[in-house]
Amino acid sequence: HHNVPPLSPVSENTQPNSRKRVRSASILQSYNVGATNVTLQEHTVGRDQRADVLGKHEGFRGCTIWFTGLSGAGKTTVSFALEKALTQMGIPCYGLDGDNVRHGLCQNLGFSKEDRTENIRRVAEVSKLFADAGMVTLSSFISPFRCDRDSAREIHKTSGLPFFEVYVDAPLEVCESRDPKDLYKKARKGQVQGMTGIDSVYEPPAAADLVLHSGKDSKEDCIKAVIDFLVEKGVIPEKALSSLSSSPVRQLFVAPSSRLSLERELREVKHEIELDIVELQWLQVLSEGWASPLYGFMRERQYLQSLHFGQLLDLKRKCLFPGEVDSNEEDDDHSQFNMDGPINQSVPIVLTITKEKKESLTTDGCVAPVISLSYGGKRVAILRRGEIFEHRRTERAARQFGSIDERHPGVAQVLHSGEFCVGGDIEVVDRITYGDGLDGVRYTPIELRRILAEKEADAVFVFQLRNPIHNGHALLMRETRAKLLEKYRNPILLLHPLGGWTKDDDVPLDVRIRQHKAVIEEGLLGADWTVLSIFPSPMMYAGPTEVQWHARARLAAGVHTYIVGRDPAGIADPASESGEALYEVEHGAKVLSMAPGLSHLNVIPFRVAAYDKKACEMAMFDSSRKEDFEFISGTAMRGLAREGLTPPNGFMAEKAWTILADYYREKNNQ
Amino acid sequence: HHNVPPLSPVSENTQPNSRKRVRSASILQSYNVGATNVTLQEHTVGRDQRADVLGKHEGFRGCTIWFTGLSGAGKTTVSFALEKALTQMGIPCYGLDGDNVRHGLCQNLGFSKEDRTENIRRVAEVSKLFADAGMVTLSSFISPFRCDRDSAREIHKTSGLPFFEVYVDAPLEVCESRDPKDLYKKARKGQVQGMTGIDSVYEPPAAADLVLHSGKDSKEDCIKAVIDFLVEKGVIPEKALSSLSSSPVRQLFVAPSSRLSLERELREVKHEIELDIVELQWLQVLSEGWASPLYGFMRERQYLQSLHFGQLLDLKRKCLFPGEVDSNEEDDDHSQFNMDGPINQSVPIVLTITKEKKESLTTDGCVAPVISLSYGGKRVAILRRGEIFEHRRTERAARQFGSIDERHPGVAQVLHSGEFCVGGDIEVVDRITYGDGLDGVRYTPIELRRILAEKEADAVFVFQLRNPIHNGHALLMRETRAKLLEKYRNPILLLHPLGGWTKDDDVPLDVRIRQHKAVIEEGLLGADWTVLSIFPSPMMYAGPTEVQWHARARLAAGVHTYIVGRDPAGIADPASESGEALYEVEHGAKVLSMAPGLSHLNVIPFRVAAYDKKACEMAMFDSSRKEDFEFISGTAMRGLAREGLTPPNGFMAEKAWTILADYYREKNNQ
């Protein structure tokens, strides 16, 4: 359903140009809000229109939740917690209770039966107004008399507004033992008259919409019960629940209870795709939730979104042609996943197959409903509801890399892969491991969140690298931490070397991990504030496109600060004889800082460090005395190592250098 | 400022897969909302947190606007209109007045002095609660006594909430002559007692925050005055105003009052860029607002946003490196332009220059502050605050076209253009015209809105084409109109042939326009429901990337329905010998239907029409009797024309065919 766009003429001269706009008498003038524009209809704003303005979810959800019960039963506690939770979910709400009413609206009322009735009547009328305004109104009042509560319900009913009576039911003994305001004590002593439960009656609801056993159940359970109830009643949309858990991570491991049946199913599946190592690494990335909320290898829908917009716009399965309706859409529970804003996904994650493989997976134009994915002869995952679509490799390389040069190792991988892609929902049997002695430093995003929570991190900054660490890097990480310490108590560094496929001349992962450990052992990075872990993604060398992936994937682990270097994920232009960079060296950081879906990420630039010959240490490059600095490139470093020379004192921690030098020497000897 | 992300562990098994999730006793369970996740702090929700949930603008804006004045002065009229306008701007608000209070909250009050005071006291207390909840509360009550209004103000002051007293001041005679509820009449007859102004006093405010002269000023002026006042007080953010005018169009023509000074300035400007015809066409596109809110040729910031994300994410000038601060940002009034959602901009609109030109425009690394743009020796526009950045042509072609094949005419244009781009703010002296006899059918978006409004269109559908119209097209347009007529009263067709540069073998614009006119004259398209106009954009043949531009540009003219064809803006793959399409033929429509910034556009697929040999007319292709249909390709059509043959009866309106046949014959003879 589409609304008609207003067809009124609009501002012809919202002059954007350099001359300062002279503020006219009416600010409105500059918007040319003529009589044709400001809508001046007489009719009032309806609930539907109001609903569009309020909260983060569609639809009018004005209603009143009326908490009744003895003093001390927990009405206000539950109501406050609920207000908090609703706000977190983006649902507009407002709490009314004795505190904001007895001193204001009802200050001229006492505690006689008549005054109590008038008190409840007024509060009920105000609740109705708030509900009418589209708010979830949380009214917490002892409201001891049944007839008063029934009147409150009636007032709402007349206005067509939902009213839910929630009985917060705790035994008098419990309430009296809590006695938060010492009212029971005073009543027992006769200092307070008309205390409900002592010398005034409480009439429990005959048919409450919900009863909370706040005497025996915990506060948490009570709140969960209310939230469940409100979901059931449609006041809270189910989607909103996910915002209660922070940026959820979607893992693709089979549930423990279904593991056996999945293994059984896998043994019987007729169709199989054999993964190569890079595909296995992507499967690991997906299964551990680094690309959350992706639920498998991309379908055409996600593939086009990623290639054209660098993001996931939704999680639906089918790539629909306009006018086409997906008959299975209701079954599409992925759309249930909360997608409040755009989710950055600049790189496609696809599983490619050849034309021949496509034929073997297809019967009468239908893709096999289940396909096993195997690696090294072992069936590691299942792909369901498979969908086969064209890879269009050259176009993909052009859009992802901005280049179709086959000498680029990332482009080459794409151009040499299959002509088709299989998208589908993935379930992985076991966590993917490599038995290379490094599995112990391969943490999933959820494990990292736990580790970081145990360390009581209140800020997490990540350092992405695929090269050995020199003292310049370490300096930068220390400086970043110092900067974060101005605002945070305990910033933790996630030292997160990329562990997937890299081009041949990069230093192998095991050497790098030993080198990284040495840097920590030598104290250049504090062991107490550093978590070393391997990032399972393969490398692509896709520059500005890839740096977004590197940053976005780490969000899953709870990272909030990303250090971006010069020419991140860049590579030399294979067409350039002088070895010029393929990507403009600042584009990576610039694009990263503007990328949709990353606006909450704190991006810190990697300032250039170089060897300060005067101070004999790595230092931030100071262009005012450039003659004092020496840039030691990777090539230069490799040269030194090969020839058994040592780099200048202070360039790299000694132990770390030894590891690297040994590696290059050995490589040289081969 | 960045918030710390919560570091709690999250749902490990939000199983997305095919087996239906068993709904557990608690829906919440599936979100693993453990004690660590649902925040159960005791403290209440503060105004800041509330502000995040309410409305479309940042910040807490709870306050009370108190309208006081005689009955009939216009309090409710102004308040209702304001409520409407605030809602339209996305500002949460709620109106309180006699209607929703006298029958509820204050039903037990009469019109004695005491009761009136109590009435106002209660309403003031409720207003305070609404303001505290973050709403702009509009309270309209005669509230005749100064002391009552002062109490209302005091109640708000105590709670730290803004309170604005607005005196709706109309003379008694005026109010009495309006007498909407016949109350004055009754009072004069003695049927009503205590009528304010008749037998009860009205005490005008001594120092109202705002006075509306609703006796002499129009309702519109009164509302404008209130809106201006609220902008001044910060209740309405200035940005929100733009949503009062519907999707504003930003034109880049100089204001008439500044025309002379601009011409003078242009005569003296030292630096000049000579535009080619395609660049002139882009200048026209920009100046008329088709690419609104772009304010000139793209700067690096917009260029990268367009290339990487297919959209404009903001309108800031400088492409900042992380950590860098733009010292001129306050001067950056472009950020004032309302950008509520993403603005689709899949194609870059840049002005390119050579390296030599770059040198001539630069002094000591600074770009000339003003540059004249000229065409055919005439200075047509000024470019201010110029910024020069690398074009990176191959990368651009790769990202925009998914191809770098020089045989592709669009790619070739990019590869043969300048190595650098000049971005900057543009002001155009005169509307760009061509003197080719077709200027009369070149309407700007604002002109089209006017024309469409005059025709009282309540829906506008557009047909984009760069080829002659055959009866199949016409059939489709008639069918689309019939479909829209189910929902709309008067859907109008914008017949909008592309008028900018096209490749050599496309039919020239003047021939096409004559042919289009003939189709209308012959009644195949209703003259009463068709508006013929030329779309000034050059063609790019960039397939899925370009179709978004074609759709998005038309939004400026008020279009809400876009008809998309098979392989829109597509072209044969120059590398394919069999003439296969460069782009997957369905990608265009699919990408268009998912594109950010176009979600309000109604996309209608172009169903395939073919010549029905049985019915002797163009008809929608029916695959169940495909033998009856003949597809007449553009090539076939050209062949017929060249050889002086006529196409099958019913293929094209006769007059239209004659025009086309004449063109081809003439071309053939040359």
Side-chain angles (χ1 to χ4, degrees), chain A residues 569-580:
Chain A
I571 194 166
D573 183 351
S576 156
E577 280 170 23
S578 56
E580 268 187 78

Side-chain angles (χ1 to χ4, degrees), chain B residues 352-366:
Chain B
T352 72
I353 50 169
T354 61
K355 195 161 182 293
E356 295 69 46
K357 190 76 194 172
K358 177 186 175 233
E359 302 306 325
S360 82
L361 294 174
T362 316
T363 319
D364 298 334
C366 287

Side-chain angles (χ1 to χ4, degrees), chain B residues 10-301:
Chain B
V10 286
S11 56
E12 303 209 8
N13 278 300
T14 34
Q15 279 305 327
N17 290 305
S18 51
R19 292 171 216 156
K20 275 268 167 213
R21 177 153 51 80
V22 179
R23 179 158 292 196
S24 56
S26 165
I27 298 166
L28 264 176
Q29 295 306 336
S30 53
Y31 288 89
N32 265 25
V33 188
T36 42
N37 272 308
V38 180
T39 325
L40 300 175
Q41 283 93 328
E42 305 291 317
H43 64 83
T44 47
V45 174
R47 287 177 185 163
D48 282 355
Q49 289 140 285
R50 221 180 271 299
D52 280 348
V53 177
L54 289 174
K56 295 186 178 161
H57 303 279
E58 282 178 12
F60 178 83
R61 35 186 42 88
C63 67
T64 290
I65 303 164
W66 190 279
F67 294 97
T68 175
L70 292 173
S71 175
K75 299 180 296 300
T76 307
T77 307
V78 172
S79 151
F80 277 10
L82 183 60
E83 195 179 5
K84 194 85 202 288
L86 287 171
T87 304
Q88 212 171 322
M89 287 187 266
I91 295 170
C93 56
Y94 192 66
L96 291 170
D97 59 24
D99 276 351
N100 57 10
V101 161
R102 274 282 178 189
H103 301 291
L105 179 65
C106 301
Q107 62 179 233
N108 50 5
L109 298 174
F111 289 86
S112 68
K113 167 114 207 211
E114 294 70 36
D115 275 9
R116 285 189 128 159
T117 296
E118 172 64 4
N119 181 40
I120 295 308
R121 192 192 67 79
R122 287 187 198 169
V123 167
E125 290 285 359
V126 174
S127 300
K128 177 197 75 180
L129 294 172
F130 269 94
D132 180 50
M135 312 285 261
V136 175
T137 315
L138 311 172
S139 306
S140 315
F141 298 93
I142 299 175
S143 46
F145 308 121
R146 205 171 291 149
C147 63
D148 292 348
R149 298 190 305 262
D150 289 347
S151 301
R153 185 187 290 273
E154 194 55 33
I155 285 168
H156 284 76
K157 199 174 163 192
T158 311
S159 294
L161 292 162
F163 178 91
F164 306 110
E165 189 176 358
V166 178
Y167 179 23
V168 185
D169 183 13
L172 180 61
E173 314 81 76
V174 175
C175 297
E176 200 166 349
S177 70
R178 291 174 183 165
D179 205 8
K181 298 173 191 164
D182 279 346
L183 287 170
Y184 288 105
K185 211 173 289 165
K186 286 177 187 160
R188 292 288 184 198
K189 287 185 190 159
Q191 294 162 347
V192 162
Q193 264 75 45
M195 179 72 189
T196 302
I198 306 294
D199 56 348
S200 182
V201 68
Y202 179 81
E203 303 170 3
D209 296 282
L210 180 69
V211 179
L212 302 178
H213 302 286
S214 57
K216 56 179 213 286
D217 294 346
S218 73
K219 188 174 71 171
E220 287 74 20
D221 286 342
C222 290
I223 291 152
K224 281 188 190 177
V226 180
I227 292 180
D228 269 351
F229 172 79
L230 293 178
V231 171
E232 193 192 313
K233 293 294 176 189
V235 174
I236 299 177
E238 204 172 329
K239 277 186 190 184
L241 291 178
S242 63
S243 47
L244 285 184
S245 48
S246 59
S247 11
V249 172
R250 172 176 269 163
Q251 296 191 140
L252 307 183
F253 299 121
V254 66
S257 58
S258 311
R259 200 179 177 285
L260 280 177
S261 68
L262 177 63
E263 285 186 308
R264 208 173 309 123
E265 196 180 357
L266 270 177
R267 275 195 296 275
E268 285 157 22
V269 168
K270 288 204 188 64
H271 297 89
E272 184 172 273
I273 297 173
E274 177 74 21
L275 306 180
D276 65 23
I277 182 69
V278 175
E279 287 162 343
L280 184 73
Q281 288 163 359
W282 281 120
L283 184 67
Q284 184 187 0
V285 163
L286 289 169
S287 65
E288 295 182 355
W290 298 100
S292 178
L294 263 187
Y295 48 90
F297 285 104
M298 283 183 177
R299 298 168 175 278
E300 188 180 32
R301 190 171 180 98

Side-chain angles (χ1 to χ4, degrees), chain A residues 18-146:
Chain A
S18 52
R19 294 170 216 156
K20 274 268 168 215
R21 175 155 52 79
V22 179
R23 178 161 293 199
S24 57
S26 164
I27 297 166
L28 264 177
Q29 297 305 338
S30 52
Y31 288 89
N32 266 27
V33 187
T36 42
N37 271 309
V38 179
T39 324
L40 300 177
Q41 284 93 329
E42 305 290 317
H43 63 82
T44 47
V45 174
R47 286 178 185 163
D48 281 355
Q49 289 140 284
R50 223 181 266 301
D52 279 348
V53 177
L54 289 174
K56 296 186 176 158
H57 304 279
E58 283 176 11
F60 178 83
R61 36 186 39 90
C63 68
T64 291
I65 302 163
W66 189 279
F67 294 98
T68 174
L70 293 173
S71 173
K75 297 180 298 301
T76 308
T77 307
V78 171
S79 152
F80 278 11
L82 182 61
E83 196 179 4
K84 194 86 202 285
L86 288 169
T87 304
Q88 211 172 323
M89 286 187 267
I91 296 168
C93 57
Y94 191 67
L96 291 169
D97 59 24
D99 277 350
N100 57 10
V101 161
R102 274 283 178 186
H103 302 291
L105 180 65
C106 301
Q107 62 179 235
N108 50 5
L109 298 173
F111 288 88
S112 68
K113 169 115 208 213
E114 294 68 35
D115 276 9
R116 286 189 127 158
T117 295
E118 171 64 5
N119 180 42
I120 294 308
R121 193 193 66 80
R122 288 190 199 167
V123 167
E125 289 285 359
V126 174
S127 300
K128 177 198 75 181
L129 294 173
F130 269 94
D132 180 50
M135 313 282 264
V136 175
T137 315
L138 311 173
S139 305
S140 314
F141 298 93
I142 298 175
S143 47
F145 307 121
R146 204 170 291 148

Side-chain angles (χ1 to χ4, degrees), chain A residues 250-318:
Chain A
R250 174 176 266 164
Q251 297 192 138
L252 307 182
F253 299 120
V254 65
S257 58
S258 310
R259 199 178 178 284
L260 280 176
S261 69
L262 177 62
E263 285 187 307
R264 209 174 309 124
E265 195 180 356
L266 271 177
R267 273 195 298 272
E268 285 157 23
V269 168
K270 289 205 189 61
H271 297 90
E272 184 173 275
I273 296 174
E274 177 75 20
L275 306 180
D276 65 23
I277 183 70
V278 175
E279 288 162 341
L280 184 73
Q281 288 163 0
W282 280 121
L283 184 66
Q284 184 187 0
V285 163
L286 289 169
S287 64
E288 295 182 356
W290 298 100
S292 180
L294 264 186
Y295 48 89
F297 284 104
M298 283 181 175
R299 296 169 176 280
E300 187 180 33
R301 189 171 180 98
Q302 282 81 41
Y303 183 55
L304 289 178
Q305 291 177 357
S306 172
L307 279 185
H308 283 274
F309 310 112
Q311 53 190 298
L312 298 178
L313 301 164
D314 60 50
L315 296 169
K316 292 182 184 153
R317 286 199 180 86
K318 215 167 160 191

Side-chain angles (χ1 to χ4, degrees), chain A residues 493-514:
Chain A
L493 164 68
L494 173 58
L495 182 62
H496 213 197
L498 179 136
W501 173 87
T502 51
K503 61 188 165 64
D504 293 343
D505 58 349
D506 284 340
V507 179
L509 182 62
D510 62 327
V511 179
R512 283 187 281 136
I513 293 300
R514 276 186 287 127

Side-chain angles (χ1 to χ4, degrees), chain A residues 29 67 70-71 89 159 173 221 224 231 239 278 438 546 599 612 619:
Chain A
Q29 297 305 338
F67 294 98
L70 293 173
S71 173
M89 286 187 267
S159 293
E173 313 82 74
D221 286 341
K224 281 186 189 178
V231 171
K239 277 185 189 184
V278 175
L438 300 175
E546 185 169 5
S599 57
D612 183 340

